[in-house]
Amino acid sequence: MARTKEFDPDAALQSALELFWQRGYEATSMADLVAHLGIGKASLYATFGSKHELYLRALDRYEQSGLAPIVHELSQPGPALPAVRSLVRRYAREATDEQSRLQGCMITNTAAELAPHDPAAARRVERNWDHLETLLHSALVRARGQGELPPGRDPLALARTLLVLLQGLRVVGKASADPSRIRDAAEQALTLLD
């Protein structure tokens, strides 16, 4: 008779996500995961496979939960540019918030730590950035169609500019305690939408 799992895999995955997000991939050992999750090593391997597989599943979960509010924010009916501006300002606030800035964004952290040498992690980072770029592009196309954006503006180029800015805000936020640098950059970038 097969034994039943003595833990909730969904809760364990969430707990692993939090630990990886806090420490990063390399700084989190299997012993750390076993201790943090309160699960035996054999059970952890049987359920999630390797540490790398667990990390990728945690990253997938992070992406799904992080994109949902952005989809909601950018797809509301009515004027689109206020939602885009609000998103940029939210990223700037998060990048300067003392508690969240040091933890950063798990996607951005993965881009810096793993993507240069880990193809599976790089694919997930690219996928996330593609989704975010598509959401921004769609909102900016809508804004141009509604007369909010001058006709000569390229929504795709603007979406890519904002994507790079948003990721940059998160990187600079982790390393800099000067919130004015981030706020000024965000506000200057928003002038591209005028």
Tab-separated table of all heavy atoms in Angstrom, residues 136-181:
chain	number	residue	atom	x	y	z
A	136	LEU	N	2.282	45.604	-21.638
A	136	LEU	CA	2.556	47.034	-21.839
A	136	LEU	C	2.232	47.457	-23.271
A	136	LEU	O	1.609	48.494	-23.493
A	136	LEU	CB	4.017	47.342	-21.501
A	136	LEU	CG	4.384	47.306	-20.020
A	136	LEU	CD1	5.894	47.245	-19.838
A	136	LEU	CD2	3.800	48.513	-19.293
A	137	HIS	N	2.649	46.648	-24.235
A	137	HIS	CA	2.412	46.957	-25.639
A	137	HIS	C	0.904	47.063	-25.915
A	137	HIS	O	0.447	48.018	-26.551
A	137	HIS	CB	3.055	45.886	-26.520
A	137	HIS	CG	2.880	46.129	-27.979
A	137	HIS	ND1	2.476	45.141	-28.840
A	137	HIS	CD2	3.027	47.250	-28.748
A	137	HIS	CE1	2.383	45.633	-30.071
A	137	HIS	NE2	2.709	46.903	-30.032
A	138	SER	N	0.147	46.116	-25.413
A	138	SER	CA	-1.312	46.143	-25.618
A	138	SER	C	-1.930	47.396	-25.018
A	138	SER	O	-2.790	48.039	-25.643
A	138	SER	CB	-1.966	44.910	-25.002
A	138	SER	OG	-1.533	43.745	-25.650
A	139	ALA	N	-1.503	47.752	-23.817
A	139	ALA	CA	-2.035	48.967	-23.175
A	139	ALA	C	-1.660	50.209	-23.974
A	139	ALA	O	-2.480	51.125	-24.142
A	139	ALA	CB	-1.519	49.072	-21.741
A	140	LEU	N	-0.438	50.249	-24.496
A	140	LEU	CA	0.000	51.418	-25.257
A	140	LEU	C	-0.660	51.494	-26.633
A	140	LEU	O	-0.946	52.588	-27.127
A	140	LEU	CB	1.529	51.423	-25.364
A	140	LEU	CG	2.237	51.646	-24.019
A	140	LEU	CD1	3.720	51.330	-24.133
A	140	LEU	CD2	2.019	53.062	-23.507
A	141	VAL	N	-0.932	50.365	-27.249
A	141	VAL	CA	-1.689	50.360	-28.512
A	141	VAL	C	-3.087	50.902	-28.252
A	141	VAL	O	-3.607	51.725	-29.015
A	141	VAL	CB	-1.738	48.930	-29.122
A	141	VAL	CG1	-2.796	48.829	-30.214
A	141	VAL	CG2	-0.370	48.541	-29.668
A	142	ARG	N	-3.693	50.436	-27.160
A	142	ARG	CA	-5.011	50.949	-26.784
A	142	ARG	C	-4.956	52.447	-26.524
A	142	ARG	O	-5.840	53.199	-26.961
A	142	ARG	CB	-5.516	50.190	-25.555
A	142	ARG	CG	-7.011	50.169	-25.442
A	142	ARG	CD	-7.507	49.231	-24.359
A	142	ARG	NE	-7.394	49.862	-23.057
A	142	ARG	CZ	-6.678	49.405	-22.052
A	142	ARG	NH1	-5.984	48.298	-22.168
A	142	ARG	NH2	-6.646	50.037	-20.910
A	143	ALA	N	-3.925	52.895	-25.833
A	143	ALA	CA	-3.779	54.328	-25.540
A	143	ALA	C	-3.656	55.133	-26.830
A	143	ALA	O	-4.281	56.191	-26.969
A	143	ALA	CB	-2.552	54.570	-24.649
A	144	ARG	N	-2.877	54.635	-27.765
A	144	ARG	CA	-2.744	55.347	-29.048
A	144	ARG	C	-4.075	55.371	-29.786
A	144	ARG	O	-4.471	56.399	-30.334
A	144	ARG	CB	-1.663	54.716	-29.916
A	144	ARG	CG	-1.389	55.566	-31.176
A	144	ARG	CD	-0.213	55.076	-31.958
A	144	ARG	NE	-0.519	53.762	-32.529
A	144	ARG	CZ	0.322	53.039	-33.238
A	144	ARG	NH1	1.541	53.467	-33.460
A	144	ARG	NH2	-0.018	51.859	-33.707
A	145	GLY	N	-4.803	54.265	-29.780
A	145	GLY	CA	-6.108	54.192	-30.435
A	145	GLY	C	-7.138	55.112	-29.808
A	145	GLY	O	-8.068	55.555	-30.479
A	146	GLN	N	-6.971	55.390	-28.520
A	146	GLN	CA	-7.897	56.271	-27.801
A	146	GLN	C	-7.440	57.720	-27.819
A	146	GLN	O	-8.039	58.562	-27.157
A	146	GLN	CB	-8.070	55.782	-26.346
A	146	GLN	CG	-8.712	54.435	-26.256
A	146	GLN	CD	-8.745	53.828	-24.856
A	146	GLN	OE1	-9.469	52.904	-24.638
A	146	GLN	NE2	-7.950	54.314	-23.911
A	147	GLY	N	-6.344	57.992	-28.527
A	147	GLY	CA	-5.859	59.369	-28.625
A	147	GLY	C	-5.061	59.844	-27.429
A	147	GLY	O	-4.762	61.034	-27.317
A	148	GLU	N	-4.672	58.946	-26.543
A	148	GLU	CA	-3.878	59.324	-25.362
A	148	GLU	C	-2.398	59.466	-25.694
A	148	GLU	O	-1.662	60.139	-24.984
A	148	GLU	CB	-4.016	58.277	-24.258
A	148	GLU	CG	-5.411	58.041	-23.747
A	148	GLU	CD	-5.426	56.842	-22.821
A	148	GLU	OE1	-4.911	56.952	-21.695
A	148	GLU	OE2	-5.927	55.789	-23.249
A	149	LEU	N	-1.974	58.782	-26.729
A	149	LEU	CA	-0.572	58.750	-27.134
A	149	LEU	C	-0.484	59.358	-28.522
A	149	LEU	O	-1.293	59.040	-29.381
A	149	LEU	CB	-0.125	57.283	-27.170
A	149	LEU	CG	1.336	56.920	-27.053
A	149	LEU	CD1	1.945	57.431	-25.764
A	149	LEU	CD2	1.480	55.400	-27.117
A	150	PRO	N	0.476	60.231	-28.750
A	150	PRO	CA	0.606	60.828	-30.087
A	150	PRO	C	0.758	59.748	-31.155
A	150	PRO	O	1.391	58.712	-30.923
A	150	PRO	CB	1.878	61.679	-29.979
A	150	PRO	CG	2.054	61.937	-28.524
A	150	PRO	CD	1.483	60.738	-27.816
A	151	PRO	N	0.188	59.962	-32.350
A	151	PRO	CA	0.196	58.942	-33.404
A	151	PRO	C	1.593	58.505	-33.836
A	151	PRO	O	1.776	57.372	-34.262
A	151	PRO	CB	-0.540	59.597	-34.573
A	151	PRO	CG	-1.077	60.880	-34.081
A	151	PRO	CD	-0.511	61.169	-32.735
A	152	GLY	N	2.600	59.340	-33.728
A	152	GLY	CA	3.952	58.989	-34.160
A	152	GLY	C	4.706	58.101	-33.193
A	152	GLY	O	5.796	57.616	-33.498
A	153	ARG	N	4.163	57.856	-32.016
A	153	ARG	CA	4.848	57.036	-31.007
A	153	ARG	C	4.701	55.556	-31.342
A	153	ARG	O	3.644	55.102	-31.729
A	153	ARG	CB	4.294	57.298	-29.616
A	153	ARG	CG	4.527	58.701	-29.109
A	153	ARG	CD	6.016	58.899	-28.791
A	153	ARG	NE	6.321	60.274	-28.528
A	153	ARG	CZ	6.210	60.866	-27.344
A	153	ARG	NH1	5.785	60.191	-26.316
A	153	ARG	NH2	6.525	62.132	-27.209
A	154	ASP	N	5.760	54.815	-31.152
A	154	ASP	CA	5.778	53.379	-31.427
A	154	ASP	C	5.468	52.622	-30.131
A	154	ASP	O	6.325	52.546	-29.240
A	154	ASP	CB	7.153	52.990	-31.969
A	154	ASP	CG	7.293	51.508	-32.266
A	154	ASP	OD1	6.380	50.723	-31.938
A	154	ASP	OD2	8.338	51.134	-32.834
A	155	PRO	N	4.275	52.050	-29.995
A	155	PRO	CA	3.910	51.361	-28.749
A	155	PRO	C	4.854	50.212	-28.386
A	155	PRO	O	5.130	50.001	-27.203
A	155	PRO	CB	2.500	50.844	-29.020
A	155	PRO	CG	1.957	51.764	-30.061
A	155	PRO	CD	3.136	52.115	-30.922
A	156	LEU	N	5.366	49.487	-29.387
A	156	LEU	CA	6.270	48.381	-29.077
A	156	LEU	C	7.601	48.894	-28.522
A	156	LEU	O	8.105	48.378	-27.518
A	156	LEU	CB	6.508	47.501	-30.305
A	156	LEU	CG	7.414	46.291	-30.085
A	156	LEU	CD1	6.884	45.389	-28.972
A	156	LEU	CD2	7.586	45.505	-31.378
A	157	ALA	N	8.157	49.915	-29.155
A	157	ALA	CA	9.421	50.484	-28.657
A	157	ALA	C	9.232	51.072	-27.252
A	157	ALA	O	10.105	50.911	-26.387
A	157	ALA	CB	9.943	51.540	-29.621
A	158	LEU	N	8.104	51.726	-27.020
A	158	LEU	CA	7.828	52.274	-25.685
A	158	LEU	C	7.674	51.146	-24.659
A	158	LEU	O	8.181	51.251	-23.544
A	158	LEU	CB	6.565	53.127	-25.711
A	158	LEU	CG	6.692	54.515	-26.312
A	158	LEU	CD1	5.320	55.173	-26.447
A	158	LEU	CD2	7.614	55.394	-25.471
A	159	ALA	N	6.987	50.075	-25.041
A	159	ALA	CA	6.813	48.945	-24.126
A	159	ALA	C	8.169	48.346	-23.757
A	159	ALA	O	8.419	48.026	-22.592
A	159	ALA	CB	5.915	47.885	-24.770
A	160	ARG	N	9.041	48.213	-24.745
A	160	ARG	CA	10.374	47.661	-24.468
A	160	ARG	C	11.196	48.595	-23.587
A	160	ARG	O	11.927	48.145	-22.693
A	160	ARG	CB	11.099	47.384	-25.784
A	160	ARG	CG	10.504	46.199	-26.487
A	160	ARG	CD	11.134	45.918	-27.824
A	160	ARG	NE	10.620	44.624	-28.295
A	160	ARG	CZ	10.770	44.184	-29.514
A	160	ARG	NH1	11.427	44.901	-30.412
A	160	ARG	NH2	10.275	43.016	-29.864
A	161	THR	N	11.070	49.880	-23.826
A	161	THR	CA	11.771	50.863	-22.989
A	161	THR	C	11.296	50.756	-21.550
A	161	THR	O	12.108	50.740	-20.614
A	161	THR	CB	11.537	52.287	-23.539
A	161	THR	OG1	12.036	52.353	-24.872
A	161	THR	CG2	12.201	53.336	-22.677
A	162	LEU	N	9.980	50.682	-21.379
A	162	LEU	CA	9.440	50.586	-20.017
A	162	LEU	C	9.818	49.267	-19.354
A	162	LEU	O	10.119	49.238	-18.155
A	162	LEU	CB	7.924	50.776	-20.039
A	162	LEU	CG	7.452	52.181	-20.414
A	162	LEU	CD1	5.931	52.225	-20.500
A	162	LEU	CD2	7.978	53.225	-19.432
A	163	LEU	N	9.826	48.175	-20.107
A	163	LEU	CA	10.252	46.889	-19.558
A	163	LEU	C	11.674	46.975	-19.010
A	163	LEU	O	11.947	46.554	-17.873
A	163	LEU	CB	10.176	45.795	-20.620
A	163	LEU	CG	10.828	44.456	-20.239
A	163	LEU	CD1	10.044	43.769	-19.136
A	163	LEU	CD2	10.955	43.563	-21.452
A	164	VAL	N	12.570	47.530	-19.798
A	164	VAL	CA	13.965	47.658	-19.364
A	164	VAL	C	14.058	48.587	-18.154
A	164	VAL	O	14.793	48.317	-17.199
A	164	VAL	CB	14.860	48.128	-20.529
A	164	VAL	CG1	16.261	48.474	-20.048
A	164	VAL	CG2	14.914	47.062	-21.619
A	165	LEU	N	13.297	49.667	-18.168
A	165	LEU	CA	13.285	50.579	-17.025
A	165	LEU	C	12.799	49.855	-15.766
A	165	LEU	O	13.423	49.968	-14.701
A	165	LEU	CB	12.375	51.781	-17.301
A	165	LEU	CG	12.114	52.627	-16.046
A	165	LEU	CD1	13.269	53.569	-15.792
A	165	LEU	CD2	10.803	53.348	-16.121
A	166	LEU	N	11.699	49.117	-15.879
A	166	LEU	CA	11.145	48.442	-14.704
A	166	LEU	C	12.145	47.459	-14.105
A	166	LEU	O	12.313	47.393	-12.881
A	166	LEU	CB	9.843	47.727	-15.069
A	166	LEU	CG	8.681	48.628	-15.497
A	166	LEU	CD1	7.485	47.791	-15.935
A	166	LEU	CD2	8.296	49.619	-14.423
A	167	GLN	N	12.826	46.699	-14.969
A	167	GLN	CA	13.825	45.758	-14.459
A	167	GLN	C	15.008	46.516	-13.854
A	167	GLN	O	15.554	46.116	-12.822
A	167	GLN	CB	14.278	44.808	-15.567
A	167	GLN	CG	13.162	43.931	-16.100
A	167	GLN	CD	12.406	43.213	-14.991
A	167	GLN	OE1	12.973	42.477	-14.190
A	167	GLN	NE2	11.104	43.438	-14.938
A	168	GLY	N	15.397	47.601	-14.496
A	168	GLY	CA	16.493	48.421	-13.971
A	168	GLY	C	16.165	49.032	-12.622
A	168	GLY	O	17.029	49.111	-11.739
A	169	LEU	N	14.918	49.455	-12.444
A	169	LEU	CA	14.511	50.013	-11.155
A	169	LEU	C	14.721	48.989	-10.047
A	169	LEU	O	15.194	49.318	-8.960
A	169	LEU	CB	13.038	50.429	-11.184
A	169	LEU	CG	12.657	51.617	-12.055
A	169	LEU	CD1	11.142	51.832	-12.030
A	169	LEU	CD2	13.380	52.893	-11.641
A	170	ARG	N	14.398	47.749	-10.353
A	170	ARG	CA	14.536	46.701	-9.339
A	170	ARG	C	16.002	46.400	-9.024
A	170	ARG	O	16.359	46.173	-7.874
A	170	ARG	CB	13.792	45.452	-9.783
A	170	ARG	CG	12.290	45.711	-9.710
A	170	ARG	CD	11.491	44.496	-9.892
A	170	ARG	NE	10.156	44.715	-9.354
A	170	ARG	CZ	9.122	43.973	-9.676
A	170	ARG	NH1	9.259	42.969	-10.517
A	170	ARG	NH2	7.954	44.227	-9.155
A	171	VAL	N	16.837	46.416	-10.034
A	171	VAL	CA	18.262	46.162	-9.807
A	171	VAL	C	18.877	47.302	-8.998
A	171	VAL	O	19.561	47.078	-7.996
A	171	VAL	CB	19.015	45.978	-11.139
A	171	VAL	CG1	20.513	45.953	-10.916
A	171	VAL	CG2	18.557	44.701	-11.836
A	172	VAL	N	18.626	48.523	-9.421
A	172	VAL	CA	19.195	49.684	-8.718
A	172	VAL	C	18.633	49.762	-7.304
A	172	VAL	O	19.359	50.080	-6.359
A	172	VAL	CB	18.944	50.986	-9.511
A	172	VAL	CG1	19.366	52.204	-8.718
A	172	VAL	CG2	19.686	50.933	-10.841
A	173	GLY	N	17.349	49.427	-7.150
A	173	GLY	CA	16.743	49.458	-5.821
A	173	GLY	C	17.421	48.529	-4.836
A	173	GLY	O	17.554	48.864	-3.660
A	174	LYS	N	17.882	47.380	-5.303
A	174	LYS	CA	18.570	46.444	-4.403
A	174	LYS	C	19.913	46.987	-3.933
A	174	LYS	O	20.349	46.712	-2.829
A	174	LYS	CB	18.796	45.105	-5.115
A	174	LYS	CG	17.577	44.234	-5.161
A	174	LYS	CD	17.920	42.861	-5.645
A	174	LYS	CE	18.571	42.097	-4.525
A	174	LYS	NZ	18.349	40.672	-4.524
A	175	ALA	N	20.560	47.758	-4.794
A	175	ALA	CA	21.927	48.185	-4.497
A	175	ALA	C	22.030	49.601	-3.960
A	175	ALA	O	23.047	49.960	-3.384
A	175	ALA	CB	22.779	48.060	-5.754
A	176	SER	N	21.000	50.410	-4.155
A	176	SER	CA	21.091	51.822	-3.790
A	176	SER	C	20.071	52.180	-2.727
A	176	SER	O	18.895	51.846	-2.842
A	176	SER	CB	20.856	52.699	-5.030
A	176	SER	OG	20.830	54.064	-4.661
A	177	ALA	N	20.536	52.892	-1.736
A	177	ALA	CA	19.632	53.376	-0.691
A	177	ALA	C	19.122	54.778	-1.016
A	177	ALA	O	18.456	55.394	-0.195
A	177	ALA	CB	20.354	53.375	0.652
A	178	ASP	N	19.417	55.285	-2.212
A	178	ASP	CA	18.996	56.630	-2.603
A	178	ASP	C	17.696	56.555	-3.401
A	178	ASP	O	17.709	56.290	-4.605
A	178	ASP	CB	20.099	57.291	-3.446
A	178	ASP	CG	19.750	58.706	-3.869
A	178	ASP	OD1	18.668	59.211	-3.475
A	178	ASP	OD2	20.541	59.311	-4.601
A	179	PRO	N	16.548	56.788	-2.750
A	179	PRO	CA	15.275	56.658	-3.455
A	179	PRO	C	15.068	57.705	-4.544
A	179	PRO	O	14.330	57.471	-5.492
A	179	PRO	CB	14.224	56.792	-2.350
A	179	PRO	CG	14.912	57.428	-1.208
A	179	PRO	CD	16.375	57.126	-1.347
A	180	SER	N	15.735	58.841	-4.433
A	180	SER	CA	15.535	59.887	-5.440
A	180	SER	C	16.047	59.443	-6.812
A	180	SER	O	15.487	59.829	-7.841
A	180	SER	CB	16.197	61.196	-5.016
A	180	SER	OG	17.598	61.046	-4.921
A	181	ARG	N	17.082	58.634	-6.847
A	181	ARG	CA	17.612	58.136	-8.124
A	181	ARG	C	16.527	57.354	-8.872
A	181	ARG	O	16.318	57.518	-10.065
A	181	ARG	CB	18.833	57.262	-7.859
A	181	ARG	CG	19.403	56.612	-9.096
A	181	ARG	CD	20.636	55.778	-8.775
A	181	ARG	NE	21.751	56.671	-8.466
A	181	ARG	CZ	22.674	56.422	-7.542
A	181	ARG	NH1	22.637	55.307	-6.841
A	181	ARG	NH2	23.648	57.264	-7.325
